[in-house]
Amino acid sequence: MSVMKFGDKSLDLSLPRVMGILNVTPDSFSDGGKHNTLDAALRQTEQMLNDGASFIDIGGESTRPGAVSVGEQEELDRVLPVVEAIAKRFDTVISVDTSTPLLMLEAQRLGAGLINDVRALERDGAVEAAVKTGLPVCLMHMRGTPQDMQNAPIYDELIADVERYLLDRVAVVEAAGIKREQIMLDPGIGFGKTLHHNASLLKQTGRFVDLGFEMLIGVSRKTMIGEILDASVEERLSGTMGANASAYLKGARIFRVHDVRPHVEMLKVMHHIEES
Ligand code: 7PJ
Protein backbone atom coordinates (compact mmCIF):
# COMPACT_ATOMS: atom_id res chain seq x y z
CA MET A 1 0.00 0.00 0.00
CA SER A 2 1.30 3.42 -0.86
CA VAL A 3 -0.91 5.83 1.01
CA MET A 4 -0.32 9.53 0.48
CA LYS A 5 -1.74 12.17 2.81
CA PHE A 6 -3.37 15.23 1.28
CA GLY A 7 -4.09 17.49 4.23
CA ASP A 8 -6.85 15.78 6.24
CA LYS A 9 -7.51 13.19 3.51
CA SER A 10 -5.54 10.13 2.41
CA LEU A 11 -5.51 8.15 -0.81
CA ASP A 12 -4.12 4.70 -1.52
CA LEU A 13 -2.05 5.26 -4.63
CA SER A 14 -1.54 1.58 -5.35
CA LEU A 15 -4.85 2.08 -7.18
CA PRO A 16 -4.94 4.30 -10.26
CA ARG A 17 -6.56 7.66 -9.55
CA VAL A 18 -8.24 10.13 -11.82
CA MET A 19 -7.77 13.88 -11.37
CA GLY A 20 -10.58 15.89 -12.95
CA ILE A 21 -9.59 19.18 -14.55
CA LEU A 22 -11.51 22.26 -13.46
CA ASN A 23 -10.48 25.37 -15.36
CA VAL A 24 -11.63 28.63 -13.85
CA THR A 25 -10.23 30.95 -16.48
CA PRO A 26 -12.81 33.47 -17.81
CA ASP A 27 -13.02 31.74 -21.17
CA SER A 28 -13.74 28.30 -19.69
CA PHE A 29 -17.42 28.95 -18.88
CA SER A 30 -19.40 30.33 -21.77
CA ASP A 31 -21.70 32.64 -19.83
CA GLY A 32 -18.96 34.42 -17.80
CA GLY A 33 -20.10 36.35 -14.73
CA LYS A 34 -18.90 35.58 -11.20
CA HIS A 35 -21.91 33.80 -9.74
CA ASN A 36 -22.53 31.77 -12.85
CA THR A 37 -18.89 30.78 -12.94
CA LEU A 38 -18.96 29.48 -9.36
CA ASP A 39 -22.22 27.68 -10.03
CA ALA A 40 -20.89 26.06 -13.17
CA ALA A 41 -17.67 25.07 -11.39
CA LEU A 42 -19.65 23.35 -8.63
CA ARG A 43 -21.86 21.52 -11.11
CA GLN A 44 -18.85 20.33 -13.05
CA THR A 45 -17.17 19.22 -9.81
CA GLU A 46 -20.23 17.25 -8.72
CA GLN A 47 -20.34 15.52 -12.09
CA MET A 48 -16.65 14.62 -12.01
CA LEU A 49 -16.95 13.25 -8.47
CA ASN A 50 -20.02 11.19 -9.42
CA ASP A 51 -17.96 9.87 -12.31
CA GLY A 52 -15.26 8.69 -9.90
CA ALA A 53 -12.60 11.41 -9.75
CA SER A 54 -10.34 11.29 -6.68
CA PHE A 55 -8.90 14.79 -7.18
CA ILE A 56 -10.28 18.04 -8.54
CA ASP A 57 -7.48 20.13 -10.05
CA ILE A 58 -8.40 23.81 -10.05
CA GLY A 59 -6.48 26.14 -12.33
CA GLY A 60 -6.92 29.88 -12.82
CA GLU A 61 -3.95 30.49 -15.07
CA SER A 62 -3.99 29.30 -18.65
CA THR A 63 -0.66 27.62 -19.40
CA ARG A 64 -1.54 26.56 -22.91
CA PRO A 65 1.13 27.35 -25.47
CA GLY A 66 1.14 31.10 -26.17
CA ALA A 67 -1.27 31.99 -23.33
CA VAL A 68 -0.87 35.45 -21.77
CA SER A 69 0.15 35.47 -18.12
CA VAL A 70 -2.42 36.31 -15.46
CA GLY A 71 -1.90 38.77 -12.61
CA GLU A 72 -1.59 37.44 -9.07
CA GLN A 73 -4.71 39.10 -7.68
CA GLU A 74 -6.74 37.98 -10.68
CA GLU A 75 -5.61 34.39 -10.17
CA LEU A 76 -6.46 34.50 -6.45
CA ASP A 77 -9.90 35.95 -7.22
CA ARG A 78 -10.62 33.22 -9.73
CA VAL A 79 -9.42 30.23 -7.74
CA LEU A 80 -9.98 30.86 -4.03
CA PRO A 81 -13.80 31.15 -4.05
CA VAL A 82 -13.95 27.87 -5.95
CA VAL A 83 -11.58 26.10 -3.54
CA GLU A 84 -13.65 27.32 -0.61
CA ALA A 85 -16.98 26.30 -2.12
CA ILE A 86 -15.77 22.83 -3.13
CA ALA A 87 -14.14 22.19 0.26
CA LYS A 88 -17.42 23.08 1.98
CA ARG A 89 -19.63 20.89 -0.16
CA PHE A 90 -17.62 17.87 -1.29
CA ASP A 91 -15.35 15.23 0.17
CA THR A 92 -12.48 15.19 -2.31
CA VAL A 93 -8.83 16.09 -2.60
CA ILE A 94 -8.58 19.60 -4.00
CA SER A 95 -5.46 20.22 -6.05
CA VAL A 96 -4.43 23.77 -6.96
CA ASP A 97 -2.74 24.14 -10.33
CA THR A 98 -0.64 27.20 -9.51
CA SER A 99 2.86 28.66 -9.31
CA THR A 100 1.78 31.54 -7.06
CA PRO A 101 3.05 31.30 -3.45
CA LEU A 102 0.23 33.33 -1.91
CA LEU A 103 -2.38 31.19 -3.63
CA MET A 104 -0.73 28.02 -2.29
CA LEU A 105 -0.97 29.36 1.26
CA GLU A 106 -4.52 30.67 0.99
CA ALA A 107 -5.80 27.58 -0.81
CA GLN A 108 -4.40 25.33 1.91
CA ARG A 109 -6.18 27.44 4.55
CA LEU A 110 -9.45 26.92 2.68
CA GLY A 111 -9.04 23.15 2.36
CA ALA A 112 -6.79 22.33 -0.61
CA GLY A 113 -4.82 19.08 -0.31
CA LEU A 114 -2.24 19.19 -3.11
CA ILE A 115 -0.05 21.78 -4.80
CA ASN A 116 0.31 21.11 -8.50
CA ASP A 117 2.93 23.44 -9.96
CA VAL A 118 3.84 23.31 -13.65
CA ARG A 119 6.92 25.41 -12.71
CA ALA A 120 8.05 22.91 -10.06
CA LEU A 121 8.10 25.61 -7.33
CA GLU A 122 10.64 27.74 -9.21
CA ARG A 123 8.88 31.05 -8.63
CA ASP A 124 10.34 33.24 -5.85
CA GLY A 125 8.94 32.13 -2.51
CA ALA A 126 7.13 29.07 -3.90
CA VAL A 127 9.25 26.45 -2.16
CA GLU A 128 8.89 28.27 1.16
CA ALA A 129 5.14 28.62 0.69
CA ALA A 130 4.72 24.96 -0.19
CA VAL A 131 6.72 23.94 2.89
CA LYS A 132 4.49 26.13 5.06
CA THR A 133 1.34 24.45 3.76
CA GLY A 134 2.65 21.02 4.75
CA LEU A 135 0.91 19.62 1.66
CA PRO A 136 2.30 17.22 -0.95
CA VAL A 137 3.47 18.72 -4.22
CA CYS A 138 3.51 17.70 -7.87
CA LEU A 139 6.69 18.88 -9.60
CA MET A 140 6.41 19.13 -13.36
CA HIS A 141 9.05 19.59 -16.03
CA MET A 142 8.67 22.52 -18.42
CA ARG A 143 11.21 23.88 -20.91
CA GLY A 144 10.91 27.68 -21.26
CA THR A 145 7.68 29.49 -20.39
CA PRO A 146 4.12 29.01 -21.67
CA GLN A 147 4.76 32.05 -23.89
CA ASP A 148 7.79 30.62 -25.68
CA MET A 149 7.98 26.93 -24.83
CA GLN A 150 6.89 25.63 -28.22
CA ASN A 151 9.55 27.55 -30.17
CA ALA A 152 11.46 24.56 -31.52
CA PRO A 153 12.42 22.94 -28.23
CA ILE A 154 15.77 21.13 -28.37
CA TYR A 155 17.30 18.75 -25.83
CA ASP A 156 20.78 17.21 -25.66
CA GLU A 157 19.42 14.07 -24.10
CA LEU A 158 15.70 14.35 -23.54
CA ILE A 159 15.12 11.69 -20.89
CA ALA A 160 18.32 12.43 -19.00
CA ASP A 161 17.65 16.21 -19.15
CA VAL A 162 14.11 15.86 -17.80
CA GLU A 163 15.22 13.38 -15.16
CA ARG A 164 18.08 15.64 -14.05
CA TYR A 165 15.78 18.65 -13.84
CA LEU A 166 13.17 16.82 -11.78
CA LEU A 167 15.75 15.32 -9.44
CA ASP A 168 17.35 18.76 -8.98
CA ARG A 169 13.96 20.15 -8.00
CA VAL A 170 13.38 17.19 -5.67
CA ALA A 171 16.71 17.96 -3.97
CA VAL A 172 15.74 21.62 -3.53
CA VAL A 173 12.33 20.93 -2.05
CA GLU A 174 13.59 18.09 0.14
CA ALA A 175 16.31 20.34 1.53
CA ALA A 176 13.60 22.90 2.32
CA GLY A 177 11.64 20.35 4.33
CA ILE A 178 9.15 18.58 2.07
CA LYS A 179 9.34 14.84 2.57
CA ARG A 180 10.18 12.56 -0.31
CA GLU A 181 6.91 10.66 0.19
CA GLN A 182 5.07 13.94 -0.42
CA ILE A 183 6.51 14.51 -3.86
CA MET A 184 5.00 13.39 -7.15
CA LEU A 185 6.64 13.96 -10.50
CA ASP A 186 5.26 14.78 -13.93
CA PRO A 187 7.20 14.80 -17.23
CA GLY A 188 5.10 17.75 -18.45
CA ILE A 189 3.57 16.47 -21.65
CA GLY A 190 3.32 19.36 -24.14
CA PHE A 191 5.39 21.82 -22.11
CA GLY A 192 8.30 22.67 -24.43
CA LYS A 193 8.26 19.35 -26.28
CA THR A 194 7.72 18.05 -29.77
CA LEU A 195 5.54 15.05 -30.54
CA HIS A 196 8.65 12.90 -30.54
CA HIS A 197 9.71 14.23 -27.12
CA ASN A 198 6.25 13.65 -25.66
CA ALA A 199 6.05 10.11 -27.00
CA SER A 200 9.55 9.23 -25.74
CA LEU A 201 8.76 10.60 -22.28
CA LEU A 202 5.53 8.62 -22.05
CA LYS A 203 7.34 5.50 -23.20
CA GLN A 204 9.93 6.04 -20.44
CA THR A 205 7.40 6.63 -17.64
CA GLY A 206 8.84 3.57 -15.91
CA ARG A 207 12.22 5.25 -15.44
CA PHE A 208 10.66 7.85 -13.21
CA VAL A 209 8.55 5.30 -11.38
CA ASP A 210 11.74 3.31 -10.72
CA LEU A 211 13.19 6.37 -8.99
CA GLY A 212 10.51 5.78 -6.36
CA PHE A 213 8.08 8.60 -7.09
CA GLU A 214 4.39 8.59 -7.89
CA MET A 215 3.94 9.80 -11.46
CA LEU A 216 1.19 12.12 -12.59
CA ILE A 217 0.43 12.30 -16.31
CA GLY A 218 -1.40 15.18 -17.99
CA VAL A 219 -2.00 14.36 -21.64
CA SER A 220 -5.73 14.99 -21.86
CA ARG A 221 -6.78 16.37 -25.28
CA LYS A 222 -3.31 17.75 -25.85
CA THR A 223 -1.71 18.63 -29.18
CA MET A 224 0.30 15.40 -29.27
CA ILE A 225 -2.95 13.42 -29.54
CA GLY A 226 -4.20 15.82 -32.20
CA GLU A 227 -0.98 15.38 -34.17
CA ILE A 228 -1.01 11.59 -34.07
CA LEU A 229 -4.68 11.33 -35.01
CA ASP A 230 -5.09 14.52 -37.02
CA ALA A 231 -8.00 15.22 -34.68
CA SER A 232 -9.55 18.44 -33.32
CA VAL A 233 -9.71 19.06 -29.55
CA GLU A 234 -13.22 17.54 -29.35
CA GLU A 235 -12.03 14.36 -31.07
CA ARG A 236 -9.16 13.42 -28.76
CA LEU A 237 -10.81 11.23 -26.09
CA SER A 238 -9.90 7.78 -27.46
CA GLY A 239 -6.38 8.92 -28.20
CA THR A 240 -6.01 10.41 -24.72
CA MET A 241 -7.16 7.12 -23.24
CA GLY A 242 -4.58 5.25 -25.32
CA ALA A 243 -1.79 7.45 -23.99
CA ASN A 244 -3.00 7.11 -20.40
CA ALA A 245 -3.43 3.34 -20.71
CA SER A 246 0.16 3.10 -21.88
CA ALA A 247 1.39 5.25 -18.97
CA TYR A 248 -0.64 3.16 -16.50
CA LEU A 249 1.05 -0.03 -17.67
CA LYS A 250 4.41 1.67 -17.12
CA GLY A 251 3.51 2.56 -13.55
CA ALA A 252 1.88 6.02 -13.58
CA ARG A 253 -0.96 6.21 -11.07
CA ILE A 254 -2.50 9.68 -11.33
CA PHE A 255 -4.17 10.80 -14.53
CA ARG A 256 -5.17 14.43 -15.02
CA VAL A 257 -8.08 14.42 -17.46
CA HIS A 258 -11.12 16.29 -18.73
CA ASP A 259 -13.16 13.13 -19.34
CA VAL A 260 -13.39 11.45 -15.97
CA ARG A 261 -15.84 8.60 -16.39
CA PRO A 262 -14.25 6.88 -19.40
CA HIS A 263 -10.88 6.99 -17.64
CA VAL A 264 -12.21 5.67 -14.34
CA GLU A 265 -13.80 2.75 -16.16
CA MET A 266 -10.77 2.05 -18.32
CA LEU A 267 -8.38 2.14 -15.37
CA LYS A 268 -10.66 -0.02 -13.23
CA VAL A 269 -10.63 -2.75 -15.86
CA MET A 270 -6.90 -2.42 -16.52
CA HIS A 271 -6.10 -2.53 -12.81
CA HIS A 272 -8.38 -5.53 -12.31
CA ILE A 273 -6.53 -7.42 -15.02
CA GLU A 274 -3.05 -6.41 -13.86
CA GLU A 275 -3.79 -7.37 -10.25
CA SER A 276 -5.50 -10.70 -11.06
C1 7PJ B 1 -0.64 19.91 -16.85
C2 7PJ B 1 -0.90 20.55 -15.66
C3 7PJ B 1 0.11 18.69 -16.86
C4 7PJ B 1 0.25 18.93 -14.47
C5 7PJ B 1 -1.77 21.70 -17.28
C6 7PJ B 1 -3.57 21.56 -20.30
C7 7PJ B 1 -2.55 22.55 -19.86
N1 7PJ B 1 -0.47 20.08 -14.45
N2 7PJ B 1 -1.59 21.67 -15.94
N3 7PJ B 1 0.54 18.26 -15.63
N4 7PJ B 1 -1.20 20.62 -17.87
N5 7PJ B 1 0.69 18.42 -13.31
O1 7PJ B 1 -4.24 20.88 -19.52
O2 7PJ B 1 -3.72 21.47 -21.56
O3 7PJ B 1 0.41 18.06 -17.87
S1 7PJ B 1 -2.60 22.98 -18.11
Side-chain angles (χ1 to χ4, degrees):
M1 281 247 291
S2 43
V3 174
M4 200 180 263
K5 276 202 63 140
F6 300 92
D8 56 7
K9 299 182 179 69
S10 306
L11 286 176
D12 175 5
L13 294 179
S14 59
L15 302 171
R17 298 287 179 177
V18 169
M19 171 181 277
I21 299 171
L22 184 63
N23 283 319
V24 292
T25 50
D27 48 350
S28 40
F29 295 107
S30 48
D31 51 3
K34 256 194 187 152
H35 181 70
N36 289 341
T37 303
L38 186 57
D39 242 36
L42 288 172
R43 263 181 280 121
Q44 197 186 326
T45 298
E46 184 169 30
Q47 182 68 54
M48 292 196 290
L49 293 176
N50 283 338
D51 288 343
S54 300
F55 300 84
I56 301 294
D57 187 48
I58 310 175
E61 177 206 13
S62 178
T63 47
R64 290 174 173 286
V68 292
S69 49
V70 60
E72 174 168 305
Q73 191 58 49
E74 173 80 35
E75 192 192 358
L76 295 172
D77 291 345
R78 287 177 188 174
V79 174
L80 289 174
V82 181
V83 171
E84 184 172 27
I86 292 176
K88 268 200 193 128
R89 288 168 181 76
F90 302 105
D91 179 26
T92 185
V93 178
I94 298 171
S95 160
V96 280
D97 189 346
T98 188
S99 304
T100 305
L102 186 55
L103 179 50
M104 296 170 189
L105 290 163
E106 294 293 303
Q108 185 275 332
R109 243 180 9 92
L110 294 173
L114 172 67
I115 293 164
N116 171 29
D117 186 1
V118 298
R119 295 177 183 81
L121 304 178
E122 284 209 61
R123 219 174 243 175
D124 276 351
V127 172
E128 294 76 6
V131 171
K132 257 194 199 160
T133 68
L135 296 178
V137 298
C138 177
L139 304 176
M140 196 195 80
H141 174 272
M142 167 162 37
R143 237 281 317 265
T145 67
Q147 288 70 46
D148 67 15
M149 65 189 179
Q150 289 306 108
N151 298 342
I154 295 170
Y155 296 83
D156 284 340
E157 278 265 20
L158 173 78
I159 305 294
D161 286 5
V162 172
E163 186 174 296
R164 191 175 317 109
Y165 172 81
L166 289 175
L167 291 180
D168 281 353
R169 295 309 297 159
V170 166
V172 169
V173 307
E174 265 195 299
I178 295 177
K179 294 199 195 72
R180 208 174 173 81
E181 314 83 72
Q182 293 182 294
I183 300 172
M184 20 178 127
L185 300 181
D186 182 336
I189 299 303
F191 286 86
K193 285 134 192 146
T194 63
L195 170 57
H196 173 68
H197 295 145
N198 288 319
S200 305
L201 281 166
L202 282 170
K203 187 172 179 185
Q204 297 297 327
T205 298
R207 280 211 17 190
F208 298 97
V209 174
D210 290 344
L211 295 171
F213 295 95
E214 296 295 346
M215 291 299 290
L216 188 153
I217 299 293
V219 67
S220 190
R221 301 181 186 172
K222 282 186 179 172
T223 301
M224 89 165 278
I225 307 298
E227 285 172 343
I228 297 171
L229 299 179
D230 189 20
S232 68
V233 176
E234 304 78 53
E235 301 167 329
R236 295 179 187 169
L237 173 57
S238 318
T240 296
M241 292 175 71
N244 281 324
S246 170
Y248 166 77
L249 289 175
K250 295 177 165 69
R253 284 295 174 269
I254 303 123
F255 303 89
R256 180 183 178 279
V257 301
H258 301 86
D259 305 285
V260 171
R261 187 173 199 106
H263 280 92
V264 167
E265 291 179 348
M266 174 188 78
L267 291 162
K268 199 167 174 182
V269 171
M270 293 188 77
H271 191 70
H272 188 99
I273 293 168
E274 292 305 310
E275 297 298 303
S276 67

